[in-house]
Amino acid sequence: MNDTLIALVPAAGIGARAGSADGRPKQYRDLDGEPMLRRTVRALLADARVAQVRVAVAPGDPWVQAALSGLPRTVWRACGGPTRAETVRAALRDADVADAVWVLVHDAARPGLPAEALGRLIDACLSRGRGGLLALPVADTVKQSAGGAGQEACVARTLPREGLWLAQTPQMFRAGTLRSALEACAGDPRVTDEASAVELAAASAPAPLLVRGARANDKLTWPEDFDWFEDRLAARRPPPGR
């Protein structure tokens, strides 16, 4: 089987919840002087088995060239759509790769992906010949809320956390499997990531593998998430004078 591996990064959103003060979408927000999207792509390039990183941006995106210029094995394409699923579908069509090629889909807002976590996922999927995703077991008590939008939140019940995992990315599948699943589930609101599309569209296929991810790979969504990541970067800098 073909073990060629490419990565897709959907980056067509506006990221209104944590965009830059200058109006740039959040994927271009600077983290210690470097756009988040560039850090995310570099994290994927850390594994030499990734033959190419393809970044899908919105048509007319004026920031991507400056953000990604000079990175090896990286291309960007103005094929992004209004939703994540549509952007990934468009990026797969644009890549036009064989069904057997492995595809890693990774959130632009996860710049802290550790090389060892990426390596674990690739190793697991290649050795088993099966799709999978990075995820973390739920450690906290999980509450389900009562009340609708605009109402005060209160506890309806406590859910058992045994067997619950928080999905991360990358999520890795054969291109043919992912393409078929996303086409079959187009417009389905239950599709919130690639794994959920595969689960819904291919009930008879092997369930995606859950491969342990990393706290450093958390998604940056809210302003305080960026503060946390900046603090993490600062803690890793060598002291002045060294």
Side-chain angles (χ1 to χ4, degrees):
M1 288 288 279
N2 189 338
D3 283 341
T4 301
L5 200 163
I6 68 167
L8 300 181
V9 180
I14 60 170
R17 288 173 292 187
S20 299
D22 59 6
R24 289 176 296 165
K26 74 172 181 180
Q27 60 267 34
Y28 298 113
R29 180 167 169 170
D30 281 349
L31 292 169
D32 197 25
E34 187 174 32
M36 178 168 68
L37 181 60
R38 187 178 184 90
R39 287 184 176 275
T40 298
V41 171
R42 285 202 296 105
L44 292 164
L45 293 171
D47 197 303
R49 291 172 292 183
V50 177
Q52 186 181 61
V53 179
R54 301 181 67 87
V55 181
V57 300
D61 183 307
W63 304 283
V64 64
Q65 183 170 354
L68 300 182
S69 180
L71 289 178
R73 309 186 335 260
T74 302
V75 298
W76 50 91
R77 307 289 286 174
C79 61
T83 67
R84 175 203 172 87
E86 290 175 282
T87 295
V88 175
R89 285 169 58 205
L92 280 169
R93 286 194 298 268
D94 184 79
D96 194 25
V97 293
D99 285 352
V101 169
W102 287 101
V103 177
L104 284 161
V105 182
H106 187 49
D107 293 331
R110 295 186 189 270
L113 172 66
E116 57 271 22
L118 175 59
R120 277 197 302 274
L121 177 65
I122 295 174
D123 289 344
C125 292
L126 293 183
S127 65
R128 301 283 294 277
R130 182 170 164 184
L133 63 150
L134 291 181
L136 286 175
V138 171
D140 296 320
T141 299
V142 180
K143 304 291 185 182
Q144 184 175 35
S145 68
Q151 297 179 337
E152 186 176 37
C154 60
V155 174
R157 60 180 177 137
T158 299
L159 302 177
R161 66 185 175 212
E162 288 73 26
L164 294 181
W165 291 63
L166 297 174
Q168 296 187 329
T169 66
Q171 302 192 1
M172 179 171 166
F173 297 97
R174 298 275 188 192
T177 299
L178 185 54
R179 210 165 10 222
S180 297
L182 290 171
E183 292 292 341
C185 296
D188 191 327
R190 295 173 295 174
V191 175
T192 55
D193 63 358
E194 292 67 48
S196 57
V198 171
E199 294 160 37
L200 289 166
S204 60
L209 298 169
L210 287 167
V211 179
R212 192 176 187 95
R215 172 77 172 88
N217 191 35
D218 279 356
K219 189 175 184 179
L220 307 190
T221 301
W222 305 102
E224 57 266 29
D225 299 334
F226 286 81
D227 294 339
W228 163 78
F229 196 82
E230 291 271 17
D231 289 345
R232 181 173 173 271
L233 291 175
R236 297 173 63 185
R237 280 194 219 102
R242 293 188 61 182

